[in-house]
Amino acid sequence: MNNYNFTELLSPLRFEQISRDLLRTQYGIFENFAEGKDNGIDFRYSESKNNMLIVQCKRYKNFNNLISVLKNENDKIKKMKFSTYLLVISLDLTVANKDKIVEVFKNKVNPNNILTTSDLNYLLSLPINHHIEFKYPELWMKSINVHQKIFHLGILNHSRFIGEELLFSLVNFVPIEQYDQVINHLESNNIVIISGNPGIGKTTLSHAVISHYLYFNKYQLIGLSYRKIQEAESLLYNEDPCIFYIDDFLGHIKLDKKNDYAQLLLFLIKKIEKSTNKKLIITSREYILRQAHKDLFPINEISNTITKHIIELSSFTRRIRTEILYNYINNSRLPIKYINNLLNSDYKKIIDHKNYNPRIIEKLTDENILRNIQIEDNSYYSYFIENLNNPLRVWQDVYDNFPNKLYKLIIIIRFLIEGELPVKNLEKAVNSIIENSQEYQSFSYDDFEYTIRSLEGTLFSFKDGVDELTEEKYTLIEFQNPSIIDFIDNFIWKKTYWLNLIIKNAIYFEQLFNFELIEIIKVDPTLSKSFRDKILKDFHRLTNANIGYFEYDTQETTFNCWTQGRYLYFLIELLEVTNIEEDEDVAFFLKSEIFRYPFDGTEDISEKQSFCEIATILIERGHINEKDAIMHYTSGFINDVKELVCFEYMTRKCNKESLDIIRNNKEFVEDADNLFLCEINELSTKNFIDLMDFYDDYEQITHILPLKKTTKKLKKLETNSIWKEAWEKLGKNVEENNLTRKVVDNINYFDIEDKSIDSLFKSINKKMIHAAFYDKKQGF
């Protein structure tokens, strides 16, 4: 049996709710009352006027304080008529304690009707009440034994997702309506996309759901980044239950239109949908998802496939807002002067503020951030309100108070390099500017170490990482809070000086081939010239900053692609920035690079697609011969039907003589035919999307390649009644999964009264002694 400490783990509001739910099992549905003055009644149950049961809940840690409050309750119940009075308290009592309570109530309360912590834990352990334990995740999420269990389950060989981050986010978690929705949805659908605006709580909600599966269902956690999604496929076929997790799907800030991650994800989704012991949780910013629906075909396909899996976070009830603010203050190590100032002010203005956002609440109650900002003792509440009015102000204050410009340079470089970044690689990028820029030569290499350590806990956090291919260990540097990324994104694209400095001194691909940076370069002549000159001069010197990715071998002049080589992918951006009709040097450079690239079977589909796009443009402009491009492409391995589809795009510009070269390449044609035969064997006639994809691909390829074995196989299947039915379905263009996303409407915003809010926040006073001690220790 669990031994939950309800006083420590539950707020007064949640303690009352769990008491009601546990008692329902025995007494039935209770009559509930609005928050506020309760006249001695939290909830009641009545079969008749003569059979009235009244329940009062008291959450206190100290028995003496409890007795003082109960003396006031006695005056209330003198005026009430009831047959049974139940008193539920968050303490364990001695016999003497119970006798004293009975004495206070003048024997109107039966000792057997005083339920203590032990009684509640017993009720919670009954099988009939197990669903209640699920319903109150703050119980098991915050208990030590569960933390240990989640930590060990979360740190697996298959995933570098850190359990510390998972547990940290659960400390202040408040269960919302969508928590139950997501879990119920995953039970029957395997996949969920949690969508919403930045800072609304998507990641925290996903962490809570993941913890549920780790603890109650013994699932393994597999954290997926866009570079590792292919590696997940091998885990789909093992016997262990796994929950896959993708946070900020399609990118943290901007949508990368060229990212083939969407196509890879689509394949993963189709497989997980059919699984019996695999789950997938995806979070995405709402505006990125909307943009993706317009710009990316694979995302449209994902949307059509799993629209039914989207659960949207839009807003919170007043009760939820109240409990979130309460948790962050109650669990914080804020200086006592700040807490006093807040509690003595109108904190309900924070709860009701139009810009209320859990992420803003988090950073404004983070002592590590506030330590770097000078706030007067009596100004914390005002500072809180000012930052709600202007949510990015807190980071502006931190940014403006940096001791020197090296701080700014480091955070900007880290911002531009997305993904998992080893500290040593960030140091190399910064040192490149220190060595080559006159303005930064006053700094030494030692200054880098001092600077990043001084920002630890405020802007940066560090974690251990391992390159899964080389097994080399790294220390990774990350932004402490996603709102820092929002802040930098808000100003950096207007800073031509910073961008030009980084372009000229870049040593990593990520510093140059950032999606938003490319968009800025296109319209800025100064940046365009710097970018063009950098690529032509130093492209072969660039390496990748992220771990487990790829590198360029300068001696062999080849790329070693580890997971997703982006050699040709990057060069597409050069086409968008320059005009090859006017720039012969760029045209010659591109021509040399695409024929240097070896198709040896290690590349992924994005590289082949990039080759076809670049080659098509060069063919149209007369810079290369189409036969040479065809010969180079068809000389390599074919790994996937999609590689044939992107090749078909290039052949649209080819004449009959060139197409004959393809058709006469017997090995190439046979490989293509065999790939389509494998696709047929894996097809399910019940999966409309798979069938539609197959026939689209088949029709595109058959006009350039004679797929004899595939065509023969299809004709044979035409006599099968199941396939006939599937074809009829295709012909009618039946739309499956035509369900609209869930939107939360008609929220009862004022579902908690001011009096109850005040009562809740008064309970924070118990934290004052600890806060005063911490102030002294930390030097506030």
Side-chain angles (χ1 to χ4, degrees):
M1 183 177 78
N2 285 313
N3 186 25
Y4 292 125
N5 185 325
F6 298 97
T7 303
E8 292 294 331
L9 299 177
L10 296 177
S11 70
L13 294 176
R14 294 291 282 174
F15 177 68
E16 179 181 319
Q17 291 169 3
I18 196 171
S19 300
R20 176 200 61 205
D21 289 344
L22 287 171
L23 292 174
R24 267 181 182 169
T25 305
Q26 182 173 351
Y27 296 101
I29 303 300
F30 283 97
E31 181 182 2
N32 296 296
F33 300 96
E35 302 290 345
K37 190 174 181 180
D38 58 24
N39 294 317
I41 304 174
D42 285 327
F43 41 92
R44 68 187 180 188
Y45 173 80
S46 62
E47 294 179 350
S48 66
K49 291 183 179 180
N50 297 323
N51 188 11
M52 176 76 70
L53 181 147
I54 290 174
V55 181
Q56 186 71 34
C57 301
K58 296 299 177 185
R59 174 185 166 277
Y60 284 89
K61 189 174 183 180
N62 182 281
F63 179 73
N64 291 332
N65 291 341
L66 173 66
I67 283 294
S68 298
V69 172
L70 291 181
K71 289 178 180 178
N72 295 327
E73 294 296 328
N74 183 46
D75 295 333
K76 298 177 184 177
I77 67 171
K78 288 179 181 178
K79 306 173 184 178
M80 293 188 291
K81 294 181 179 180
F82 57 86
S83 58
T84 305
Y85 186 96
L86 283 179
L87 179 63
V88 185
I89 60 177
S90 61
L91 288 172
D92 271 330
L93 303 176
T94 65
V95 174
N97 292 151
K98 274 200 175 185
D99 290 343
K100 193 168 184 177
I101 293 174
V102 172
E103 182 183 344
V104 166
F105 282 101
K106 309 297 182 184
N107 293 318
K108 287 186 177 182
V109 176
N110 189 316
N112 294 328
N113 291 338
I114 300 175
L115 303 182
T116 67
T117 291
S118 295
D119 297 319
L120 294 177
N121 273 306
Y122 169 74
L123 290 174
L124 204 57
S125 69
L126 298 176
I128 195 173
N129 289 329
H130 281 180
H131 69 284
I132 296 176
E133 187 175 20
F134 299 161
K135 183 178 178 180
Y136 291 86
E138 57 264 64
L139 282 179
W140 48 269
M141 283 179 182
K142 296 178 184 178
S143 61
I144 294 175
N145 62 320
V146 176
H147 276 208
Q148 292 174 342
K149 196 165 191 176
I150 290 176
F151 180 80
H152 290 299
L153 285 171
I155 304 298
L156 300 169
N157 292 333
H158 299 309
S159 176
R160 289 200 299 268
F161 183 90
I162 55 172
E164 295 97 326
E165 179 182 339
L166 180 74
L167 294 172
F168 177 79
S169 68
L170 300 180
V171 171
N172 298 308
F173 175 66
V174 175
I176 58 178
E177 177 187 7
Q178 290 87 353
Y179 173 73
D180 290 329
Q181 290 179 9
V182 171
I183 290 177
N184 292 334
H185 187 87
L186 279 172
E187 287 302 304
S188 56
N189 295 280
N190 288 346
I191 298 166
V192 67
I193 290 184
I194 302 172
S195 171
N197 292 323
I200 196 68
K202 302 181 297 296
T203 299
T204 301
L205 175 59
S206 65
H207 286 181
V209 174
I210 288 168
S211 298
H212 171 92
Y213 276 94
L214 293 181
Y215 181 56
F216 289 108
N217 302 96
K218 308 299 185 291
Y219 271 62
Q220 293 184 357
L221 174 61
I222 314 285
L224 297 178
S225 68
Y226 72 91
R227 296 190 312 278
K228 296 193 296 179
I229 195 167
Q230 291 159 309
E231 300 169 23
E233 188 162 349
S234 62
L235 301 170
L236 290 172
Y237 305 107
N238 64 22
E239 297 180 357
D240 298 324
C242 298
I243 185 163
F244 298 91
Y245 176 54
I246 304 173
D247 192 26
D248 260 342
F249 141 75
L250 286 180
H252 294 285
I253 295 294
K254 304 298 180 184
L255 171 67
D256 187 345
K257 296 181 182 180
K258 295 291 196 306
N259 203 337
D260 68 321
Y261 172 51
Q263 185 67 59
L264 296 171
L265 178 61
L266 181 59
F267 298 151
L268 181 68
I269 284 170
K270 290 179 179 180
K271 290 174 177 136
I272 291 180
E273 278 186 318
K274 304 170 186 176
S275 175
T276 57
N277 65 346
K278 302 294 184 291
K279 307 292 181 185
L280 173 63
I281 298 179
I282 301 169
T283 69
S284 176
R285 298 188 178 200
E286 176 62 23
Y287 67 88
I288 291 181
L289 200 58
R290 287 199 304 268
Q291 183 183 349
H293 289 165
K294 297 177 183 178
D295 297 339
L296 290 178
F297 171 74
I299 302 304
N300 281 323
E301 197 169 355
I302 289 174
S303 178
N304 292 333
T305 306
I306 61 168
T307 299
K308 64 183 180 181
H309 300 310
I310 297 175
I311 293 179
E312 180 178 315
L313 296 185
S314 55
S315 59
F316 298 139
T317 64
R318 197 180 194 221
R319 175 194 287 272
I320 297 298
R321 288 171 171 233
T322 297
E323 292 199 69
I324 289 174
L325 179 62
Y326 167 85
N327 278 355
Y328 273 107
I329 295 176
N330 194 49
N331 296 325
S332 75
R333 292 183 173 180
L334 284 171
I336 189 171
K337 57 189 177 183
Y338 291 172
I339 296 177
N340 270 326
N341 180 246
L342 187 69
L343 295 180
N344 291 326
S345 304
D346 188 4
Y347 43 78
K348 289 182 283 295
K349 283 187 177 179
I350 296 173
I351 295 168
D352 298 331
H353 199 284
K354 65 179 182 179
N355 292 333
Y356 183 100
N357 181 292
R359 181 173 295 163
I360 298 175
I361 303 302
E362 177 188 0
K363 71 182 182 182
L364 291 177
T365 53
D366 186 338
E367 72 279 1
N368 290 318
I369 296 173
L370 298 179
R371 190 178 290 110
N372 292 278
I373 302 170
Q374 298 299 320
I375 303 175
E376 297 294 331
D377 292 8
N378 60 351
S379 300
Y380 177 60
Y381 170 76
S382 300
Y383 185 78
F384 212 116
I385 294 295
E386 289 170 4
N387 276 275
L388 283 170
N389 294 333
N390 180 10
L392 294 178
R393 174 182 166 174
V394 65
W395 297 122
Q396 188 67 57
D397 290 344
V398 172
Y399 184 83
D400 291 341
N401 286 311
F402 281 151
N404 57 60
K405 57 192 174 185
L406 182 61
Y407 284 76
K408 298 179 180 180
L409 178 67
I410 289 173
I411 68 166
I412 290 170
I413 291 178
R414 179 62 189 95
F415 170 80
L416 288 174
I417 302 178
E418 297 178 348
E420 294 184 326
L421 179 65
V423 171
K424 69 175 187 178
N425 288 354
L426 176 61
E427 183 177 13
K428 290 177 182 177
V430 172
N431 286 342
S432 175
I433 292 178
I434 291 176
E435 292 170 0
N436 299 304
S437 173
Q438 186 69 32
E439 187 176 351
Y440 283 88
Q441 287 183 358
S442 60
F443 295 102
S444 68
Y445 297 152
D446 294 337
D447 292 328
F448 172 84
E449 179 70 21
Y450 173 80
T451 302
I452 62 167
R453 291 302 171 186
S454 65
L455 293 174
E456 183 177 5
T458 302
L459 267 73
F460 290 135
S461 62
F462 300 91
K463 70 173 185 178
D464 294 331
V466 179
D467 188 308
E468 295 178 355
L469 292 162
T470 66
E471 297 185 354
E472 184 176 355
K473 295 182 179 180
Y474 297 92
T475 298
L476 302 172
I477 183 168
E478 298 180 334
F479 283 112
Q480 178 81 11
N481 192 299
S483 63
I484 304 170
I485 300 173
D486 295 335
F487 165 70
I488 303 172
D489 182 69
N490 189 57
F491 78 85
I492 186 57
W493 309 117
K494 302 171 187 176
K495 304 294 185 181
T496 301
Y497 163 77
W498 283 108
L499 298 178
N500 201 36
L501 179 69
I502 290 171
I503 289 172
K504 287 183 175 181
N505 296 283
I507 61 173
Y508 298 119
F509 287 105
E510 290 90 343
Q511 291 176 269
L512 296 171
F513 297 96
N514 176 289
F515 174 72
E516 183 65 20
L517 178 59
I518 293 295
E519 295 300 307
I520 300 300
I521 289 173
K522 289 178 185 178
V523 297
D524 189 305
T526 300
L527 297 181
S528 295
K529 184 178 186 306
S530 296
F531 180 82
R532 179 256 188 207
D533 294 345
K534 181 69 177 178
I535 296 301
L536 294 186
K537 178 184 176 184
D538 293 332
F539 185 73
H540 292 160
R541 295 190 182 96
L542 297 175
T543 59
N544 198 274
N546 299 138
I547 63 176
Y549 206 30
F550 71 91
E551 64 182 2
Y552 186 80
D553 189 327
T554 54
Q555 294 182 346
E556 300 294 332
T557 63
T558 59
F559 274 86
N560 299 319
C561 303
W562 294 348
T563 3
Q564 289 191 43
R566 296 292 178 135
Y567 168 16
L568 298 178
Y569 167 83
F570 286 137
L571 295 181
I572 291 178
E573 306 295 355
L574 184 60
L575 280 169
E576 297 189 12
V577 171
T578 59
N579 185 345
I580 61 172
E581 292 182 346
E582 300 176 358
D583 197 327
E584 290 291 333
D585 290 338
V586 171
F588 179 80
F589 173 78
L590 289 172
K591 175 182 177 180
S592 301
E593 293 304 320
I594 66 168
F595 286 120
R596 176 181 294 168
Y597 189 90
F599 291 120
D600 57 7
T602 62
E603 70 282 343
D604 62 27
I605 189 174
S606 67
E607 289 299 271
K608 291 198 170 181
Q609 182 176 356
S610 299
F611 174 90
C612 293
E613 290 185 30
I614 296 172
T616 298
I617 293 173
L618 293 176
I619 289 170
E620 290 176 338
R621 304 295 190 273
H623 292 290
I624 64 172
N625 186 292
E626 62 186 56
K627 294 181 181 179
D628 294 335
I630 289 173
M631 292 293 290
H632 186 70
Y633 191 93
T634 57
S635 65
F637 294 90
I638 309 174
N639 300 309
D640 191 277
V641 165
K642 296 299 181 185
E643 295 180 9
L644 293 169
V645 174
C646 66
F647 175 60
E648 186 272 339
Y649 169 80
M650 184 177 74
T651 63
R652 295 176 191 177
K653 307 296 180 181
C654 298
N655 55 36
K656 182 180 181 302
E657 184 180 352
S658 298
L659 292 177
D660 286 340
I661 295 175
I662 307 171
R663 293 165 183 154
N664 292 331
N665 187 332
K666 294 181 180 180
E667 184 178 354
F668 186 82
V669 173
E670 185 175 357
D671 287 346
D673 214 351
N674 289 333
L675 278 174
F676 273 94
L677 282 175
C678 290
E679 288 278 309
I680 291 177
N681 294 332
E682 295 178 2
L683 278 177
S684 168
T685 56
K686 295 180 180 180
N687 192 315
F688 176 73
I689 298 296
D690 280 355
L691 285 168
M692 185 171 63
D693 280 352
F694 174 80
Y695 283 107
D696 284 346
D697 294 343
Y698 174 75
E699 290 175 0
Q700 286 187 69
I701 300 304
T702 49
H703 84 277
I704 61 169
L705 293 178
L707 303 177
K708 295 180 180 179
K709 290 187 288 187
T710 301
T711 303
K712 184 178 179 180
K713 176 80 171 180
L714 285 175
K715 287 183 178 179
K716 185 176 181 180
L717 287 172
E718 288 179 359
T719 60
N720 186 305
S721 59
I722 297 177
W723 279 79
K724 280 185 177 181
E725 183 180 339
W727 273 315
E728 289 176 4
K729 187 177 181 182
L730 281 172
K732 294 177 181 178
N733 195 25
V734 176
E735 293 185 2
E736 292 187 344
N737 303 329
N738 187 23
L739 299 174
T740 56
R741 69 177 57 185
K742 180 174 179 59
V743 180
V744 180
D745 292 323
N746 302 320
I747 292 176
N748 180 14
Y749 183 73
F750 292 98
D751 62 345
I752 182 171
E753 295 182 356
D754 288 355
K755 185 176 180 64
S756 288
I757 295 176
D758 290 334
S759 176
L760 180 65
F761 278 85
K762 283 179 182 177
S763 68
I764 296 178
N765 288 329
K766 65 178 182 162
K767 305 288 287 188
M768 292 302 187
I769 295 177
H770 170 73
F773 169 77
Y774 189 75
D775 285 1
K776 186 176 180 180
K777 184 177 179 181
Q778 296 298 320
F780 269 106

